[in-house]
Amino acid sequence: MPPSGKKMIVAGNWKMHTDAQSAAALAEQVAGRSAQEAGQVQVVLAPPFPFLAEAVRRARAADQENGRQCVIIAAQNCHEEEQGAYTGEVGVPMLRSIGVGACIVGHSERRQYYAETDAAVGRKVERLLQHGLMPIYCCGEGREDREAGRHREVVALQLRTALGAIPGHGLAKVVVAYEPVWAIGTGLTATPAQAQEMHAFIRAELRALAGEAATHIPILYGGSCKPDNAAGIFACPDINGGLIGGASLAAEPFMELVRMARHAQSPA
Ligand code: 13P
């Protein structure tokens, strides 16, 4: 895929941060500024569950004011079943009913602390597709796997297990985020060369699963991505933007990353 004109997405994962006031204010600021600054870059915000509905309201207000969709509001997780006796869980129809348009699934923190498996994550992807929400599927190897040279194998197994049963037309609606676990919240980031190599590998794996339908699947990089290291990463041909943790918790530097993605899309 040529770097010029490639699809770019910048998604903010707020994790377990913000409160009602700061979440609403941040959603409003980012939505309003995205209308002016994002160009063709798709901006996605993933606040904690309690603040989703208000974030959707603020985003919709910005849409109305600007006559275009400014940001997509995403959840950080969902349950794979439609509904039922799952105390404490949140179903996809619930998210859809409040205007949430996307959902992160399989984040390494959920795999690590809540024992999420790729089989379960795959069912979440299917449920999201069934309801027309955009799944943001996370994969990535841990430090030991990277050091042992097993990073390709590990990520290939994640992709095949979670996405292998999804038909090509469904897979074409998925966004993949490559987040090497050793780079998340550590200040260590993959070099552009390391990230590009894995993104090209992931693209080839997706093509093996779903054929040509997979060619245009956006693949985001995540892991200590910040304005001071994003330019080289966003410029790589197989990198379609970023899934941003720490640097998404304030309007700047997040909007700086959005502008950098815009520049990477059309570097002229
Ligand atoms: P950081 O940008 O804080 O490293 O987090 C990355 C991440 O996990 C996004 O989902």
Side-chain angles (χ1 to χ4, degrees), residues 159-218:
L159 291 167
R160 285 180 208 155
T161 312
L163 306 179
I166 295 170
H169 65 273
L171 211 50
K173 297 187 179 123
V174 173
V175 172
V176 172
Y178 169 61
E179 298 206 309
V181 180
W182 47 272
I184 295 178
T186 57
L188 286 176
T189 187
T191 63
Q194 283 174 321
Q196 166 58 26
E197 192 239 299
M198 282 306 284
H199 280 233
F201 174 77
I202 290 168
R203 200 175 293 291
E205 285 291 314
L206 292 170
R207 223 178 266 135
L209 288 178
E212 281 311 295
T215 306
H216 299 295
I217 293 177

Side-chain angles (χ1 to χ4, degrees), residues 13 15 107 109 179 183-186 222-226 243-247:
N13 175 8
K15 306 191 179 181
H107 193 281
E109 287 150 15
E179 298 206 309
I184 295 178
T186 57
S224 300
C225 189
K226 296 182 171 54
L243 181 54
I244 315 297

Side-chain angles (χ1 to χ4, degrees), residues 111-151:
R111 295 171 187 264
Q112 186 180 347
Y113 305 131
Y114 307 100
E116 279 195 17
T117 63
D118 268 298
V121 174
R123 291 195 293 276
K124 294 180 186 203
V125 171
E126 286 180 58
R127 187 68 65 190
L128 288 161
L129 290 171
Q130 180 193 342
H131 289 283
L133 275 74
M134 178 174 84
I136 303 173
Y137 168 78
C138 303
C139 58
E141 81 285 355
R143 189 172 53 83
E144 284 179 13
D145 290 322
R146 166 64 63 166
E147 284 170 2
R150 284 193 302 262
H151 42 291

